[in-house]
Amino acid sequence: MPENNDASAQGSYVLADQPYQRDTNYIETRITRDGLDGYPVEPGRYRLVVSYACPWANRTIIVRRLLGLDRVISMGVCGPTHDKRSWTFDLDPGGVDPVLQIPRLQDAYFARIPGYEKGITVPAIVDERSGAVVTNDFPQITLDFETEWVDYHRPGAPILYPADLREEIDEVNALVYRDVNNGVYRCGFAGSQESYDAAYDQLFSRLDWLSERLADQRYLVGDTITEADIRLFTTLARFDPVYHGHFKCNRQKLSEMPVLWAYARDLFQTPGFGDCTNFDHIKRHYYQVHRDINPSGIVPKGPDLANWNEPHGRDKLGGRPFGDGDPPPPLR
């Protein structure tokens, strides 16, 4: 696979004069109630490995917390930076994950597929018994948390992927992924002016569409938080600290887009979102790892992020964040 600065860890690459390409060849094994792929839902068996820096992993952190799956699925946290080989457990004593007893996430991939040549990505779910990665298919991981792990959701957990709204949620997610979640990367890693311009226009066209959609409704689909809001939030949270400058997504800052800015603050101030967001890790990852974009590795001090706690005023649109459920308890 062609490499950029961190291709093996991120599962993506850039070729000169070509649009950015994301490697989406994931390990698609699923953990299900029927155990069809050989991995049944089982409390205490699996470890979710994440980095707070990564937007895809951040989704799984949020969903795990909202549903109360922290009681049955442990979580290992990698540091905000990595090298070409792998994410590492440098936050843990001795640089070793205390459960898996490995220093690099790569070791769990190799335990599943010796010499694994694709991206060593987070999030990844590891079978604690074998020490091998089960899956790194991040779009499916959260959906399975919501549908296959239902028996272990906390009392009062929200329904994040309601059956009657799944078609609409899937449609919105597909557009947001193409134009926004991945669109910012297509801007930042564009190999030519032409590909950058196209990605830029597509990104802001979709953000305008989202602003119109959210002008009169509190959440993306229905009147409660769903999987769609979580997928959009993790990109919006990184917009001003990283994507606006680092990825040249600079028509406007998020804080200059009134509807999306209020929407993002509404979610940030909801238990399970802001308390699962680490701006320090986010900034350190992008600015220190992407040396082809930021050769010095200097991490900017700004922007001031205290404004995330300013009143959002979205309550007037109605909606019930957790539906008939309750917010998760405070973090321990």
Side-chain angles (χ1 to χ4, degrees), residues 212-233:
E212 292 177 9
R213 183 181 182 95
L214 290 164
D216 299 314
Q217 64 186 62
R218 191 169 178 184
Y219 303 110
L220 276 175
V221 181
D223 65 353
T224 64
I225 291 169
T226 68
E227 172 80 11
D229 298 295
I230 295 165
R231 294 192 181 197
L232 177 58
F233 171 79

Side-chain angles (χ1 to χ4, degrees), residues 47 89 95-104 107:
R47 188 160 179 82
F89 294 100
V96 174
D97 180 87
V99 173
L100 301 175
Q101 293 296 305
I102 55 175
R104 313 178 70 85
D107 298 333

Side-chain angles (χ1 to χ4, degrees), residues 192-204:
S192 69
Q193 187 70 48
E194 181 181 14
S195 59
Y196 164 75
D197 289 347
Y200 177 100
D201 291 343
Q202 195 167 357
L203 166 65
F204 282 99

Side-chain angles (χ1 to χ4, degrees), residues 48 52 58-71 73 75 145 152-158 160 230 270-277 322 326-332:
L48 173 66
Y52 281 94
N58 201 173
R59 298 176 182 181
T60 64
I61 299 170
I62 293 170
V63 171
R64 174 179 174 270
R65 170 149 160 69
L66 292 178
L67 298 180
L69 292 176
D70 53 304
R71 301 172 304 167
I73 302 172
M75 188 169 78
F145 280 177
Y152 299 99
H153 289 182
R154 65 178 176 84
L160 299 176
I230 295 165
T270 300
F273 286 82
D275 53 20
C276 290
T277 302
F322 299 99
D326 304 302
L331 282 170
R332 291 172 292 184

Side-chain angles (χ1 to χ4, degrees), residues 179-191:
D179 300 340
V180 182
N181 301 145
N182 200 45
V184 293
Y185 284 85
R186 291 172 56 237
C187 289
F189 289 117

Side-chain angles (χ1 to χ4, degrees), residues 14 74 107 111 117 119 212 240 321 332:
V14 180
S74 69
D107 298 333
E117 295 181 350
E212 292 177 9
D240 286 5
R332 291 172 292 184

